[in-house]
Amino acid sequence: MRGAGAFWLAAVVAFAAAGPNLPVFTDVTKAAGITFKHSYGDHHLDNIVEGTGAGACFFDYNNDGFLDIYFVTGTWTRNVSDNEGRDLRGKLSNRLYRNNGDGAFTDVTERAGVDGKGIFSSGCSAADYDNDGYVDLYVLNYGPNILYHNNGNGAFTDVSKKSGLDSPRWSLHAVWFDYNNDGWLDVYVANYLKYDDGKFRDFYPAAGYPGPLSYSGEPDALYRNNGDGAFTDVTQEAGVYKRDGRAMSVTAADFRNCGLLDIFVANDAMENFYFQNQGNGRFVEKALGMGVAFGESGQGVANMGPVVGDVNRDGRLDVFIPNLNYCILFQQGQRGFEDRTHPAGLSMSLGQYAGWGAVLFDYDNDGWLDVFTVHGDAHHEYVQEDTLMRNRGDGAFEDVSDQSGQFFHEKYVGRGAAWADYDNDGDIDLLVVNLNDSAKLLRNDGGNRSNWLSVEANLKFPTGTRAAIGARVTVTSGALRQIDDVNPVRGYLSQGDPRLHFGLGQAAYADLVEVRWPDGALEKFAKVKANQFLKLVHEAKAK
């Protein structure tokens, strides 16, 4: 039940202020032909491997201009799953759904060869690591990770061992970016902890199962792309080695507006990591000094999936993180970040939930970033509602969940969340992964009543064209100036639309679109017409 008393009054006031013409989200999962149901590989939830859940990944694997979906799931796994769950062996696998371009999807998993059968998967991300023009797929597992090379003919080849990315640690998430600016995408892998096959039993039974502090953490890893299909572990030499991490998810962004992507790692039950890119192939960890190491009370909270965006449109990127206490909004100022969760009006609405996946997106195309958060209990299959907080543009948010569609009146044990304009109609849709339950595809109905602009920034190499990861796009319309970086890996164990979406409100065009490419080159486009997918290509410099 959503709050009471003063909260209900606030909701009524918010509804009146927002007006009745806001977009709603429609559950189109069945109509779209998506039948995927997540499983933790067992019949009863009884350990941290099963409870961590999974994410999903949007990417255009066949280059037809429509974003496809990859789902990951758990499977029956020895020393993780109970014996009574053995009837699930061989029945669970990851799934790839091809977007048909007509609102429906087709399951093409077997044709593509990406089922990952027999592997307990947690997260996924996709990037064109060999610059051949086709997006490849990386699957993060409890067990060796899998790198699938996109063959360009609708099928993939498992190149995990050849690439050197088949780490046996329990990996949850991975972000792709070119940290040394050599034209090849490198990858930072977020590793969680060392599960002990259920040996540790000294815990409070009401908790359901032992939490993260019952186990030793794992170091994350940074892999440099050698440009020949293989990767080299450069974790220590790059300065990002931390012996005891408990990473839940990771992202990278140009927080300093300097053309360099820094790494932000959300950790579980300990401080977060903020690795500042020095521009010379090395990073320095500065989470404490930047104000993003701990939550409001100074403790290491159970942080989940970080999402990045300029919430108050001051030209600086901010960070929103759901966690098991409620959430954190780290808003950036001139001297670092400040916890602005309560002043922004997020505490009261979200404090009653356990947060996991989140999306920072402009769902109503008014130019201000709104917050969608997925909720669910951590140790039990106790259901909760998800929430949608609308940015009022005055530094605060209002809860519009109850008026945003039937889905927000339903309850699930949520985990992952991803975003994309999957039907290419000019507003951002949502994808939710629920623990041991069906996924939900939520179509945005009404967001495109206001104007918008989608920017697809690509780099052209002699071998092919890929997303310009790390490019900074700035869109100015009237007094509103919006910024974003090309990097779809954000949120809990998931990846969203690589195209950057900007709401323009009632403006018929953007006064100015600026693109700072990864090589530092700056391009400007004036009077860009609204309601279009603006495709930009930049010639990559040879290295």
Side-chain angles (χ1 to χ4, degrees), residues 59-75:
F59 74 119
D60 184 4
Y61 85 96
N62 56 355
N63 287 350
D64 66 351
F66 288 91
L67 292 174
D68 313 295
I69 303 174
Y70 187 73
F71 292 103
V72 299
T73 188
T75 60

Side-chain angles (χ1 to χ4, degrees), residues 233 343 378 384 391 433 458 514:
D233 187 333
Q384 298 178 357
N391 191 333
V433 177
N458 291 313
E514 301 172 80

Side-chain angles (χ1 to χ4, degrees), residues 411-453:
K411 297 182 180 183
Y412 302 94
V413 186
R415 289 299 186 263
W419 76 97
D421 184 0
Y422 81 90
D423 51 3
N424 289 348
D425 69 346
D427 49 29
I428 299 297
D429 313 294
L430 295 170
L431 182 68
V432 179
V433 177
N434 295 309
L435 186 73
N436 201 38
D437 205 343
S438 298
K440 298 294 179 180
L441 179 63
L442 306 176
R443 187 184 65 209
N444 185 332
D445 289 333
N448 56 10
R449 284 193 293 262
S450 294
N451 295 327
W452 54 276
L453 178 67

Side-chain angles (χ1 to χ4, degrees), residues 498-533:
R499 301 168 299 185
L500 301 184
H501 187 91
F502 300 92
L504 297 180
Q506 300 308 305
Y509 56 85
D511 297 310
L512 184 65
V513 175
E514 301 172 80
V515 184
R516 188 197 64 217
W517 298 97
D519 62 8
L522 182 66
E523 282 192 90
K524 298 182 180 182
F525 307 88
K527 297 274 187 177
V528 177
K529 187 178 178 180
N531 304 327
Q532 66 162 311
F533 291 89

Side-chain angles (χ1 to χ4, degrees), residues 103-405:
F105 292 77
T106 299
D107 189 330
V108 294
T109 310
E110 277 68 37
R111 165 75 177 88
V114 292
D115 61 14
K117 188 166 286 187
I119 298 295
F120 197 113
S121 298
S122 298
C124 51
S125 64
D128 181 5
Y129 74 88
D130 56 352
N131 296 341
D132 67 351
Y134 293 93
V135 185
D136 311 296
L137 179 63
Y138 194 32
V139 185
L140 294 313
N141 304 313
Y142 179 81
N145 297 328
I146 303 174
L147 179 64
Y148 290 112
H149 176 261
N150 190 332
N151 301 330
N153 60 359
F156 293 75
T157 299
D158 185 339
V159 295
S160 309
K161 290 186 178 180
K162 175 185 175 182
S163 70
L165 294 183
D166 58 336
S167 170
R169 298 180 182 130
W170 181 12
S171 302
L172 296 186
H173 206 204
V175 62
W176 296 85
F177 69 117
D178 185 4
Y179 85 95
N180 56 357
N181 202 28
D182 65 352
W184 301 95
L185 292 175
D186 315 293
V187 62
Y188 183 101
V189 179
N191 297 314
Y192 192 22
L193 50 78
K194 298 176 183 177
Y195 183 62
D196 64 354
D197 301 339
K199 297 182 178 65
F200 184 85
R201 310 303 287 171
D202 184 17
F203 67 97
Y204 183 48
Y209 52 79
L213 292 178
S214 303
Y215 310 99
S216 299
E218 287 272 35
D220 297 339
L222 176 63
Y223 295 92
R224 184 187 65 226
N225 190 333
N226 301 331
D228 59 0
F231 292 77
T232 299
D233 187 333
V234 294
T235 311
Q236 298 213 29
E237 69 181 71
V240 297
Y241 178 78
K242 291 287 184 179
R243 185 170 62 93
D244 294 317
R246 291 186 182 86
M248 296 302 286
S249 288
V250 61
T251 190
D254 182 7
F255 290 108
R256 294 170 291 153
N257 297 341
C258 64
L260 299 172
L261 297 188
D262 303 320
I263 304 168
F264 186 90
V265 184
N267 286 315
D268 194 3
M270 60 176 288
E271 73 274 14
N272 300 317
F273 298 149
Y274 174 86
F275 295 106
Q276 193 176 89
N277 192 334
Q278 303 300 293
N280 59 359
R282 291 189 56 81
F283 295 79
V284 175
E285 207 290 303
K286 292 191 174 184
L288 187 61
M290 293 294 290
V292 294
F294 298 101
E296 184 176 30
S297 301
Q299 78 278 24
V301 297
N303 288 319
M304 301 302 172
V307 287
V308 175
D310 183 6
V311 169
N312 58 348
R313 297 306 188 200
D314 67 346
R316 302 182 184 94
L317 293 176
D318 311 302
V319 182
F320 175 80
I321 316 171
N323 60 50
L324 298 189
N325 288 351
Y326 55 98
C327 64
I328 302 174
L329 175 61
F330 285 125
Q331 204 160 296
Q332 188 175 182
Q334 293 183 351
R335 299 182 180 179
F337 292 82
E338 180 184 357
D339 189 330
R340 299 286 297 174
T341 313
H342 181 66
L346 297 171
S347 299
M348 182 176 292
S349 295
L350 303 184
Q352 59 193 310
Y353 301 114
W356 295 81
V359 175
L360 260 180
F361 70 134
D362 184 2
Y363 89 105
D364 54 356
N365 284 340
D366 67 349
W368 297 88
L369 294 177
D370 313 295
V371 181
F372 171 73
T373 311
V374 171
H375 306 286
D377 192 86
H379 289 240
H380 305 88
E381 291 184 70
Y382 298 159
V383 295
Q384 298 178 357
E385 307 101 335
D386 295 340
T387 54
L388 179 61
M389 303 295 294
R390 181 174 180 267
N391 191 333
R392 300 192 317 210
D394 61 358
F397 292 80
E398 58 188 2
D399 191 340
V400 295
S401 309
D402 287 335
Q403 67 206 73
S404 297

Side-chain angles (χ1 to χ4, degrees), residues 55 86 285 543:
R86 286 180 294 179
E285 207 290 303
K543 294 287 183 178

